[in-house]
Amino acid sequence: MPSSLPQLPHNVLAPLQWQSATWEDYLAYRDQPTDQRMRLYFNGQALLVDMGSEGIDHASTSDLFLLLIYVWVNQHQPNLAVGSFGRCLLEKTGYRAASPDLVLYLGEGMPRRETGNLRCIDLDIWPVPDLVGEIADTSLASDLDEKKKLYADLQIPEYWVIDVQGKRVLAFWLQPEGVYRQLIQSVTLPGLSIHLLEQALERLGEEPNFAVANWFGQQIQ
């Protein structure tokens, strides 16, 4: 383990912080045997080690958005192949790595596990996801700053930030110049209104996520 970075703690009490790091530092964390849940982000100059457990709001919101995407695709693009790989490690060797809450692949070119390969999505082999998202319960500032730039560097076409406390959905589409522009309607899922997603998020405070997904389905019929 490189001396510049702390040992993996048994409990994380301080707010998540990006630390100056190299690719070798990232690999040391990635490859260290541990029974602790760990998500990693590396932006080329700094490393974020997320060892927090999902709280109720984060978990419920994450599951809600998978349900909403399923309902939307089932009604509007039922023949479209869609694969979800949420929280799986995306890795571009020597360059960038991330573990988004939402990872969606549409159509052909969906990654699969091959014998002998690491348990991550190797972006030197597979195409980048069509859409990734972060559930921002306590991580909003980083999700809109360092992670947003990280996903732009990886050339992820569409990026969502779901602001749990603010009841907002911030969706972005990657521009040719390599920066994100905010959307009012998804490009990856054509016709899906971001405002309607926000309405569903607002209802989650009063209803279970399956009930909210049922309401959402009625709205888009």
Side-chain angles (χ1 to χ4, degrees), residues 139-199:
S139 60
L140 182 62
S142 181
D143 293 340
L144 289 174
D145 188 1
E146 293 94 347
K147 291 181 190 175
K148 184 180 175 185
K149 177 64 165 60
L150 168 58
Y151 294 130
D153 289 343
L154 285 171
Q155 299 186 320
I156 307 292
E158 188 162 340
Y159 174 46
W160 292 1
V161 177
I162 296 95
D163 179 4
V164 175
Q165 298 182 34
K167 304 297 182 184
R168 298 181 300 164
V169 179
L170 305 168
F172 304 94
W173 182 252
L174 189 65
Q175 301 302 292
E177 60 270 25
V179 297
Y180 281 117
R181 173 179 59 85
Q182 192 165 350
L183 298 171
I184 60 172
Q185 190 176 95
S186 175
V187 176
T188 301
L189 302 170
L192 175 56
S193 164
I194 303 304
H195 178 62
L196 185 60
L197 293 176
E198 290 182 324
Q199 289 180 293

Short mmCIF file of all heavy atoms in Angstrom, two decimals, residues 139-199:
data_model
loop_
_atom_site.label_atom_id
_atom_site.label_comp_id
_atom_site.label_asym_id
_atom_site.label_seq_id
_atom_site.Cartn_x
_atom_site.Cartn_y
_atom_site.Cartn_z
N SER A 139 -23.49 13.47 -1.38
CA SER A 139 -22.33 13.67 -2.26
C SER A 139 -22.60 14.65 -3.41
O SER A 139 -21.90 14.62 -4.42
CB SER A 139 -21.91 12.31 -2.86
OG SER A 139 -22.99 11.75 -3.60
N LEU A 140 -23.58 15.54 -3.26
CA LEU A 140 -24.02 16.39 -4.37
C LEU A 140 -22.88 17.22 -4.95
O LEU A 140 -22.74 17.31 -6.18
CB LEU A 140 -25.17 17.29 -3.93
CG LEU A 140 -25.76 18.20 -5.01
CD1 LEU A 140 -26.36 17.37 -6.14
CD2 LEU A 140 -26.83 19.12 -4.41
N ALA A 141 -22.09 17.86 -4.10
CA ALA A 141 -21.03 18.74 -4.59
C ALA A 141 -20.05 17.98 -5.49
O ALA A 141 -19.69 18.44 -6.58
CB ALA A 141 -20.30 19.40 -3.43
N SER A 142 -19.62 16.81 -5.04
CA SER A 142 -18.68 16.01 -5.83
C SER A 142 -19.33 15.48 -7.10
O SER A 142 -18.71 15.43 -8.16
CB SER A 142 -18.15 14.85 -4.99
OG SER A 142 -17.22 14.08 -5.72
N ASP A 143 -20.61 15.08 -7.01
CA ASP A 143 -21.30 14.54 -8.18
C ASP A 143 -21.43 15.58 -9.29
O ASP A 143 -21.45 15.23 -10.48
CB ASP A 143 -22.69 14.03 -7.79
CG ASP A 143 -22.63 12.82 -6.88
OD1 ASP A 143 -21.58 12.14 -6.86
OD2 ASP A 143 -23.62 12.56 -6.17
N LEU A 144 -21.54 16.85 -8.91
CA LEU A 144 -21.67 17.92 -9.90
C LEU A 144 -20.35 18.56 -10.27
O LEU A 144 -20.31 19.45 -11.12
CB LEU A 144 -22.62 19.00 -9.36
CG LEU A 144 -24.09 18.60 -9.27
CD1 LEU A 144 -24.91 19.69 -8.58
CD2 LEU A 144 -24.65 18.31 -10.67
N ASP A 145 -19.26 18.10 -9.67
CA ASP A 145 -17.95 18.69 -9.94
C ASP A 145 -16.99 17.61 -10.44
O ASP A 145 -16.91 17.33 -11.63
CB ASP A 145 -17.43 19.38 -8.69
CG ASP A 145 -16.15 20.18 -8.93
OD1 ASP A 145 -15.69 20.22 -10.09
OD2 ASP A 145 -15.61 20.76 -7.98
N GLU A 146 -16.25 16.98 -9.50
CA GLU A 146 -15.23 16.02 -9.91
C GLU A 146 -15.78 14.83 -10.71
O GLU A 146 -15.20 14.44 -11.72
CB GLU A 146 -14.48 15.48 -8.68
CG GLU A 146 -13.64 16.51 -7.95
CD GLU A 146 -14.38 17.17 -6.79
OE1 GLU A 146 -15.62 17.01 -6.73
OE2 GLU A 146 -13.71 17.82 -5.97
N LYS A 147 -16.91 14.27 -10.24
CA LYS A 147 -17.45 13.11 -10.96
C LYS A 147 -18.01 13.51 -12.32
O LYS A 147 -17.88 12.75 -13.30
CB LYS A 147 -18.52 12.41 -10.12
CG LYS A 147 -17.98 11.72 -8.89
CD LYS A 147 -19.09 11.02 -8.13
CE LYS A 147 -18.63 10.54 -6.77
NZ LYS A 147 -19.75 9.98 -5.98
N LYS A 148 -18.61 14.66 -12.41
CA LYS A 148 -19.13 15.13 -13.69
C LYS A 148 -18.01 15.27 -14.71
O LYS A 148 -18.14 14.84 -15.88
CB LYS A 148 -19.85 16.47 -13.49
CG LYS A 148 -20.53 17.02 -14.74
CD LYS A 148 -21.21 18.34 -14.40
CE LYS A 148 -21.79 18.99 -15.63
NZ LYS A 148 -22.34 20.34 -15.33
N LYS A 149 -16.88 15.85 -14.29
CA LYS A 149 -15.74 15.98 -15.18
C LYS A 149 -15.16 14.60 -15.51
O LYS A 149 -14.74 14.33 -16.66
CB LYS A 149 -14.66 16.84 -14.49
CG LYS A 149 -13.38 17.01 -15.28
CD LYS A 149 -13.61 17.76 -16.58
CE LYS A 149 -12.30 18.25 -17.21
NZ LYS A 149 -11.36 17.17 -17.53
N LEU A 150 -15.14 13.70 -14.53
CA LEU A 150 -14.63 12.34 -14.75
C LEU A 150 -15.43 11.63 -15.82
O LEU A 150 -14.88 11.00 -16.74
CB LEU A 150 -14.68 11.58 -13.42
CG LEU A 150 -14.46 10.07 -13.42
CD1 LEU A 150 -13.12 9.71 -14.02
CD2 LEU A 150 -14.58 9.52 -12.00
N TYR A 151 -16.76 11.71 -15.75
CA TYR A 151 -17.60 11.03 -16.74
C TYR A 151 -17.49 11.68 -18.12
O TYR A 151 -17.57 11.00 -19.15
CB TYR A 151 -19.04 10.97 -16.26
CG TYR A 151 -19.22 10.11 -15.04
CD1 TYR A 151 -19.90 10.57 -13.91
CD2 TYR A 151 -18.68 8.83 -14.99
CE1 TYR A 151 -20.03 9.78 -12.78
CE2 TYR A 151 -18.81 8.03 -13.88
CZ TYR A 151 -19.49 8.51 -12.77
OH TYR A 151 -19.61 7.71 -11.65
N ALA A 152 -17.27 12.99 -18.15
CA ALA A 152 -17.03 13.66 -19.43
C ALA A 152 -15.72 13.17 -20.04
O ALA A 152 -15.63 12.92 -21.25
CB ALA A 152 -17.01 15.17 -19.24
N ASP A 153 -14.69 13.02 -19.20
CA ASP A 153 -13.40 12.51 -19.69
C ASP A 153 -13.53 11.10 -20.25
O ASP A 153 -12.83 10.72 -21.20
CB ASP A 153 -12.36 12.52 -18.56
CG ASP A 153 -11.92 13.93 -18.18
OD1 ASP A 153 -12.16 14.87 -18.97
OD2 ASP A 153 -11.36 14.09 -17.08
N LEU A 154 -14.41 10.30 -19.64
CA LEU A 154 -14.65 8.94 -20.12
C LEU A 154 -15.58 8.91 -21.34
O LEU A 154 -15.83 7.85 -21.89
CB LEU A 154 -15.25 8.07 -19.01
CG LEU A 154 -14.28 7.61 -17.92
CD1 LEU A 154 -15.04 6.94 -16.78
CD2 LEU A 154 -13.23 6.66 -18.49
N GLN A 155 -16.12 10.07 -21.70
CA GLN A 155 -17.01 10.22 -22.84
C GLN A 155 -18.31 9.43 -22.68
O GLN A 155 -18.83 8.82 -23.61
CB GLN A 155 -16.30 9.83 -24.14
CG GLN A 155 -15.08 10.70 -24.43
CD GLN A 155 -14.44 10.42 -25.78
OE1 GLN A 155 -14.32 9.26 -26.20
NE2 GLN A 155 -14.04 11.47 -26.47
N ILE A 156 -18.86 9.49 -21.46
CA ILE A 156 -20.19 8.93 -21.21
C ILE A 156 -21.22 9.87 -21.81
O ILE A 156 -21.29 11.05 -21.44
CB ILE A 156 -20.45 8.78 -19.69
CG1 ILE A 156 -19.33 7.99 -19.00
CG2 ILE A 156 -21.81 8.14 -19.46
CD1 ILE A 156 -19.23 6.54 -19.36
N PRO A 157 -22.08 9.42 -22.73
CA PRO A 157 -22.97 10.34 -23.42
C PRO A 157 -23.95 11.09 -22.51
O PRO A 157 -24.13 12.30 -22.66
CB PRO A 157 -23.73 9.44 -24.41
CG PRO A 157 -22.84 8.25 -24.60
CD PRO A 157 -22.14 8.05 -23.29
N GLU A 158 -24.59 10.37 -21.57
CA GLU A 158 -25.60 11.01 -20.73
C GLU A 158 -25.31 10.71 -19.25
O GLU A 158 -24.99 9.58 -18.88
CB GLU A 158 -27.00 10.52 -21.09
CG GLU A 158 -28.12 11.29 -20.40
CD GLU A 158 -29.47 11.13 -21.07
OE1 GLU A 158 -29.53 10.75 -22.26
OE2 GLU A 158 -30.49 11.39 -20.39
N TYR A 159 -25.43 11.76 -18.44
CA TYR A 159 -25.12 11.67 -17.01
C TYR A 159 -26.24 12.28 -16.21
O TYR A 159 -26.67 13.40 -16.49
CB TYR A 159 -23.80 12.40 -16.74
CG TYR A 159 -23.41 12.50 -15.27
CD1 TYR A 159 -23.48 11.41 -14.42
CD2 TYR A 159 -22.94 13.71 -14.74
CE1 TYR A 159 -23.12 11.50 -13.09
CE2 TYR A 159 -22.57 13.82 -13.40
CZ TYR A 159 -22.66 12.72 -12.59
OH TYR A 159 -22.30 12.81 -11.26
N TRP A 160 -26.74 11.53 -15.21
CA TRP A 160 -27.78 12.03 -14.32
C TRP A 160 -27.23 12.18 -12.90
O TRP A 160 -26.48 11.32 -12.42
CB TRP A 160 -28.95 11.05 -14.25
CG TRP A 160 -29.77 10.90 -15.49
CD1 TRP A 160 -29.58 11.52 -16.70
CD2 TRP A 160 -30.91 10.05 -15.66
NE1 TRP A 160 -30.52 11.11 -17.61
CE2 TRP A 160 -31.36 10.21 -16.99
CE3 TRP A 160 -31.59 9.19 -14.81
CZ2 TRP A 160 -32.47 9.52 -17.49
CZ3 TRP A 160 -32.69 8.49 -15.31
CH2 TRP A 160 -33.12 8.67 -16.63
N VAL A 161 -27.65 13.24 -12.24
CA VAL A 161 -27.41 13.42 -10.81
C VAL A 161 -28.78 13.53 -10.14
O VAL A 161 -29.53 14.47 -10.44
CB VAL A 161 -26.56 14.67 -10.50
CG1 VAL A 161 -26.41 14.84 -8.98
CG2 VAL A 161 -25.19 14.55 -11.16
N ILE A 162 -29.11 12.57 -9.29
CA ILE A 162 -30.41 12.57 -8.59
C ILE A 162 -30.18 13.14 -7.20
O ILE A 162 -29.58 12.50 -6.34
CB ILE A 162 -31.02 11.16 -8.54
CG1 ILE A 162 -31.34 10.66 -9.95
CG2 ILE A 162 -32.29 11.16 -7.70
CD1 ILE A 162 -30.29 9.80 -10.58
N ASP A 163 -30.63 14.36 -7.00
CA ASP A 163 -30.45 15.08 -5.74
C ASP A 163 -31.56 14.65 -4.78
O ASP A 163 -32.69 15.13 -4.87
CB ASP A 163 -30.50 16.58 -6.02
CG ASP A 163 -30.34 17.44 -4.77
OD1 ASP A 163 -30.12 16.88 -3.67
OD2 ASP A 163 -30.46 18.68 -4.89
N VAL A 164 -31.24 13.75 -3.87
CA VAL A 164 -32.25 13.16 -2.99
C VAL A 164 -32.88 14.21 -2.09
O VAL A 164 -34.11 14.28 -1.97
CB VAL A 164 -31.62 12.03 -2.13
CG1 VAL A 164 -32.61 11.50 -1.12
CG2 VAL A 164 -31.11 10.91 -3.03
N GLN A 165 -32.08 15.05 -1.46
CA GLN A 165 -32.61 16.03 -0.52
C GLN A 165 -33.32 17.18 -1.23
O GLN A 165 -34.33 17.69 -0.74
CB GLN A 165 -31.48 16.55 0.36
CG GLN A 165 -30.83 15.46 1.22
CD GLN A 165 -29.75 15.99 2.13
OE1 GLN A 165 -29.83 17.10 2.63
NE2 GLN A 165 -28.72 15.19 2.35
N GLY A 166 -32.81 17.59 -2.38
CA GLY A 166 -33.41 18.70 -3.11
C GLY A 166 -34.53 18.29 -4.04
O GLY A 166 -35.17 19.15 -4.66
N LYS A 167 -34.79 16.98 -4.15
CA LYS A 167 -35.84 16.45 -5.03
C LYS A 167 -35.66 16.96 -6.46
O LYS A 167 -36.61 17.38 -7.13
CB LYS A 167 -37.24 16.83 -4.50
CG LYS A 167 -37.52 16.40 -3.07
CD LYS A 167 -37.49 14.90 -2.91
CE LYS A 167 -37.82 14.45 -1.50
NZ LYS A 167 -37.69 13.00 -1.32
N ARG A 168 -34.42 16.89 -6.94
CA ARG A 168 -34.12 17.34 -8.30
C ARG A 168 -33.44 16.22 -9.08
O ARG A 168 -32.75 15.38 -8.50
CB ARG A 168 -33.17 18.54 -8.29
CG ARG A 168 -33.69 19.78 -7.60
CD ARG A 168 -32.64 20.89 -7.70
NE ARG A 168 -31.38 20.50 -7.06
CZ ARG A 168 -30.21 21.12 -7.26
NH1 ARG A 168 -30.14 22.15 -8.10
NH2 ARG A 168 -29.11 20.72 -6.63
N VAL A 169 -33.66 16.25 -10.39
CA VAL A 169 -32.93 15.37 -11.29
C VAL A 169 -32.21 16.27 -12.29
O VAL A 169 -32.83 16.98 -13.07
CB VAL A 169 -33.86 14.39 -12.03
CG1 VAL A 169 -33.05 13.52 -12.98
CG2 VAL A 169 -34.63 13.53 -11.03
N LEU A 170 -30.89 16.24 -12.25
CA LEU A 170 -30.07 17.04 -13.15
C LEU A 170 -29.49 16.11 -14.20
O LEU A 170 -28.68 15.23 -13.88
CB LEU A 170 -28.97 17.74 -12.37
CG LEU A 170 -29.47 18.61 -11.20
CD1 LEU A 170 -28.32 19.05 -10.30
CD2 LEU A 170 -30.22 19.82 -11.72
N ALA A 171 -29.93 16.27 -15.43
CA ALA A 171 -29.50 15.39 -16.52
C ALA A 171 -28.65 16.19 -17.50
O ALA A 171 -28.94 17.36 -17.78
CB ALA A 171 -30.71 14.80 -17.23
N PHE A 172 -27.60 15.55 -18.01
CA PHE A 172 -26.64 16.23 -18.88
C PHE A 172 -26.33 15.37 -20.10
O PHE A 172 -26.29 14.14 -20.01
CB PHE A 172 -25.34 16.51 -18.12
CG PHE A 172 -25.53 17.30 -16.86
CD1 PHE A 172 -25.66 16.65 -15.63
CD2 PHE A 172 -25.57 18.70 -16.87
CE1 PHE A 172 -25.83 17.37 -14.46
CE2 PHE A 172 -25.74 19.42 -15.71
CZ PHE A 172 -25.88 18.76 -14.50
N TRP A 173 -26.07 16.05 -21.23
CA TRP A 173 -25.69 15.39 -22.47
C TRP A 173 -24.32 15.91 -22.91
O TRP A 173 -24.08 17.11 -22.91
CB TRP A 173 -26.72 15.66 -23.56
CG TRP A 173 -26.42 14.97 -24.86
CD1 TRP A 173 -25.98 15.56 -26.02
CD2 TRP A 173 -26.54 13.58 -25.15
NE1 TRP A 173 -25.82 14.63 -27.00
CE2 TRP A 173 -26.16 13.40 -26.50
CE3 TRP A 173 -26.94 12.46 -24.40
CZ2 TRP A 173 -26.15 12.14 -27.10
CZ3 TRP A 173 -26.92 11.22 -25.01
CH2 TRP A 173 -26.54 11.07 -26.33
N LEU A 174 -23.43 14.98 -23.26
CA LEU A 174 -22.07 15.35 -23.61
C LEU A 174 -22.02 16.03 -24.97
O LEU A 174 -22.51 15.50 -25.97
CB LEU A 174 -21.18 14.11 -23.61
CG LEU A 174 -19.67 14.36 -23.73
CD1 LEU A 174 -19.15 15.13 -22.52
CD2 LEU A 174 -18.92 13.03 -23.88
N GLN A 175 -21.36 17.18 -25.02
CA GLN A 175 -21.22 17.96 -26.25
C GLN A 175 -19.93 17.57 -26.99
O GLN A 175 -19.01 17.00 -26.40
CB GLN A 175 -21.21 19.44 -25.92
CG GLN A 175 -22.46 19.93 -25.19
CD GLN A 175 -23.72 19.66 -25.99
OE1 GLN A 175 -23.94 20.26 -27.04
NE2 GLN A 175 -24.55 18.74 -25.51
N PRO A 176 -19.85 17.88 -28.29
CA PRO A 176 -18.64 17.53 -29.06
C PRO A 176 -17.35 18.10 -28.46
O PRO A 176 -16.29 17.49 -28.61
CB PRO A 176 -18.92 18.13 -30.45
CG PRO A 176 -20.41 18.18 -30.54
CD PRO A 176 -20.89 18.47 -29.15
N GLU A 177 -17.45 19.24 -27.78
CA GLU A 177 -16.26 19.84 -27.17
C GLU A 177 -15.88 19.20 -25.84
O GLU A 177 -14.92 19.63 -25.18
CB GLU A 177 -16.44 21.35 -27.00
CG GLU A 177 -17.59 21.77 -26.13
CD GLU A 177 -18.90 21.96 -26.88
OE1 GLU A 177 -19.08 21.33 -27.96
OE2 GLU A 177 -19.74 22.74 -26.38
N GLY A 178 -16.63 18.16 -25.42
CA GLY A 178 -16.26 17.41 -24.24
C GLY A 178 -16.81 17.92 -22.93
O GLY A 178 -16.32 17.55 -21.86
N VAL A 179 -17.84 18.77 -22.96
CA VAL A 179 -18.48 19.26 -21.74
C VAL A 179 -19.96 18.89 -21.79
O VAL A 179 -20.52 18.65 -22.86
CB VAL A 179 -18.32 20.79 -21.59
CG1 VAL A 179 -16.85 21.16 -21.43
CG2 VAL A 179 -18.94 21.53 -22.75
N TYR A 180 -20.59 18.85 -20.61
CA TYR A 180 -21.99 18.46 -20.53
C TYR A 180 -22.91 19.68 -20.62
O TYR A 180 -22.61 20.74 -20.05
CB TYR A 180 -22.27 17.74 -19.21
CG TYR A 180 -21.85 16.29 -19.19
CD1 TYR A 180 -20.86 15.85 -18.31
CD2 TYR A 180 -22.43 15.36 -20.04
CE1 TYR A 180 -20.48 14.51 -18.27
CE2 TYR A 180 -22.06 14.03 -20.01
CZ TYR A 180 -21.08 13.61 -19.13
OH TYR A 180 -20.71 12.29 -19.10
N ARG A 181 -24.03 19.50 -21.33
CA ARG A 181 -25.09 20.49 -21.38
C ARG A 181 -26.31 19.91 -20.70
O ARG A 181 -26.67 18.76 -20.93
CB ARG A 181 -25.42 20.86 -22.83
CG ARG A 181 -26.64 21.79 -22.99
CD ARG A 181 -26.88 22.14 -24.45
NE ARG A 181 -27.11 20.95 -25.27
CZ ARG A 181 -28.30 20.37 -25.42
NH1 ARG A 181 -29.37 20.81 -24.77
NH2 ARG A 181 -28.43 19.30 -26.20
N GLN A 182 -26.99 20.72 -19.86
CA GLN A 182 -28.14 20.21 -19.12
C GLN A 182 -29.32 19.96 -20.05
O GLN A 182 -29.54 20.68 -21.02
CB GLN A 182 -28.54 21.19 -18.01
CG GLN A 182 -29.53 20.60 -17.03
CD GLN A 182 -29.66 21.42 -15.76
OE1 GLN A 182 -28.88 22.34 -15.52
NE2 GLN A 182 -30.64 21.08 -14.94
N LEU A 183 -30.08 18.92 -19.72
CA LEU A 183 -31.22 18.48 -20.52
C LEU A 183 -32.53 18.71 -19.80
O LEU A 183 -32.57 18.67 -18.56
CB LEU A 183 -31.10 16.98 -20.82
CG LEU A 183 -29.91 16.48 -21.62
CD1 LEU A 183 -29.88 14.95 -21.60
CD2 LEU A 183 -29.97 16.98 -23.05
N ILE A 184 -33.60 18.89 -20.56
CA ILE A 184 -34.95 18.85 -19.99
C ILE A 184 -35.66 17.57 -20.42
O ILE A 184 -36.73 17.24 -19.92
CB ILE A 184 -35.78 20.08 -20.39
CG1 ILE A 184 -35.94 20.16 -21.91
CG2 ILE A 184 -35.16 21.36 -19.84
CD1 ILE A 184 -36.92 21.25 -22.36
N GLN A 185 -35.03 16.83 -21.32
CA GLN A 185 -35.57 15.56 -21.80
C GLN A 185 -34.38 14.66 -22.14
O GLN A 185 -33.39 15.10 -22.72
CB GLN A 185 -36.43 15.79 -23.05
CG GLN A 185 -37.22 14.60 -23.51
CD GLN A 185 -38.13 14.95 -24.68
OE1 GLN A 185 -37.75 14.75 -25.84
NE2 GLN A 185 -39.30 15.45 -24.39
N SER A 186 -34.48 13.39 -21.76
CA SER A 186 -33.39 12.46 -22.02
C SER A 186 -33.17 12.28 -23.52
O SER A 186 -34.12 12.27 -24.32
CB SER A 186 -33.70 11.11 -21.38
OG SER A 186 -32.70 10.16 -21.72
N VAL A 187 -31.90 12.14 -23.90
CA VAL A 187 -31.54 11.80 -25.28
C VAL A 187 -31.41 10.28 -25.41
O VAL A 187 -31.85 9.69 -26.39
CB VAL A 187 -30.23 12.49 -25.68
CG1 VAL A 187 -29.81 12.06 -27.08
CG2 VAL A 187 -30.38 14.01 -25.61
N THR A 188 -30.84 9.65 -24.41
CA THR A 188 -30.65 8.20 -24.42
C THR A 188 -32.00 7.47 -24.43
O THR A 188 -32.15 6.45 -25.12
CB THR A 188 -29.85 7.76 -23.19
OG1 THR A 188 -28.58 8.42 -23.21
CG2 THR A 188 -29.63 6.27 -23.17
N LEU A 189 -32.97 8.00 -23.68
CA LEU A 189 -34.33 7.45 -23.63
C LEU A 189 -35.26 8.51 -24.22
O LEU A 189 -35.86 9.30 -23.48
CB LEU A 189 -34.72 7.09 -22.20
CG LEU A 189 -33.78 6.09 -21.51
CD1 LEU A 189 -34.08 5.99 -20.02
CD2 LEU A 189 -33.87 4.71 -22.17
N PRO A 190 -35.36 8.60 -25.54
CA PRO A 190 -36.03 9.72 -26.21
C PRO A 190 -37.46 9.92 -25.73
O PRO A 190 -38.25 8.98 -25.66
CB PRO A 190 -35.99 9.32 -27.68
CG PRO A 190 -34.87 8.36 -27.80
CD PRO A 190 -34.85 7.61 -26.50
N GLY A 191 -37.76 11.17 -25.38
CA GLY A 191 -39.11 11.52 -24.95
C GLY A 191 -39.31 11.49 -23.45
O GLY A 191 -40.34 11.96 -22.95
N LEU A 192 -38.36 10.97 -22.70
CA LEU A 192 -38.50 10.89 -21.25
C LEU A 192 -38.23 12.26 -20.63
O LEU A 192 -37.12 12.79 -20.70
CB LEU A 192 -37.53 9.85 -20.68
CG LEU A 192 -37.48 9.73 -19.15
CD1 LEU A 192 -38.87 9.44 -18.57
CD2 LEU A 192 -36.50 8.64 -18.74
N SER A 193 -39.26 12.81 -20.00
CA SER A 193 -39.18 14.14 -19.41
C SER A 193 -38.44 14.10 -18.07
O SER A 193 -38.78 13.31 -17.19
CB SER A 193 -40.58 14.70 -19.20
OG SER A 193 -40.58 15.79 -18.31
N ILE A 194 -37.44 14.96 -17.92
CA ILE A 194 -36.71 15.04 -16.65
C ILE A 194 -37.63 15.59 -15.56
O ILE A 194 -37.55 15.17 -14.39
CB ILE A 194 -35.45 15.91 -16.80
CG1 ILE A 194 -34.55 15.35 -17.93
CG2 ILE A 194 -34.69 15.99 -15.49
CD1 ILE A 194 -34.15 13.91 -17.76
N HIS A 195 -38.53 16.49 -15.93
CA HIS A 195 -39.48 17.03 -14.94
C HIS A 195 -40.37 15.92 -14.39
O HIS A 195 -40.69 15.91 -13.18
CB HIS A 195 -40.33 18.12 -15.58
CG HIS A 195 -41.35 18.70 -14.65
ND1 HIS A 195 -41.03 19.36 -13.48
CD2 HIS A 195 -42.72 18.70 -14.70
CE1 HIS A 195 -42.12 19.76 -12.86
NE2 HIS A 195 -43.17 19.35 -13.57
N LEU A 196 -40.78 14.99 -15.24
CA LEU A 196 -41.62 13.87 -14.77
C LEU A 196 -40.83 13.00 -13.79
O LEU A 196 -41.39 12.51 -12.79
CB LEU A 196 -42.12 13.05 -15.95
CG LEU A 196 -43.10 11.91 -15.62
CD1 LEU A 196 -44.35 12.47 -14.95
CD2 LEU A 196 -43.47 11.14 -16.88
N LEU A 197 -39.54 12.81 -14.04
CA LEU A 197 -38.71 12.07 -13.09
C LEU A 197 -38.65 12.79 -11.74
O LEU A 197 -38.69 12.16 -10.68
CB LEU A 197 -37.30 11.91 -13.65
CG LEU A 197 -37.13 11.02 -14.89
CD1 LEU A 197 -35.68 11.05 -15.37
CD2 LEU A 197 -37.57 9.59 -14.61
N GLU A 198 -38.58 14.12 -11.78
CA GLU A 198 -38.56 14.90 -10.54
C GLU A 198 -39.88 14.76 -9.79
O GLU A 198 -39.90 14.69 -8.55
CB GLU A 198 -38.27 16.36 -10.84
CG GLU A 198 -36.85 16.61 -11.31
CD GLU A 198 -36.56 18.07 -11.55
OE1 GLU A 198 -37.46 18.79 -12.05
OE2 GLU A 198 -35.43 18.51 -11.28
N GLN A 199 -40.98 14.73 -10.51
CA GLN A 199 -42.28 14.53 -9.87
C GLN A 199 -42.32 13.18 -9.16
O GLN A 199 -42.86 13.06 -8.05
CB GLN A 199 -43.40 14.63 -10.90
CG GLN A 199 -43.64 16.04 -11.42
CD GLN A 199 -44.77 16.08 -12.44
OE1 GLN A 199 -44.67 15.53 -13.54
NE2 GLN A 199 -45.87 16.69 -12.07
#
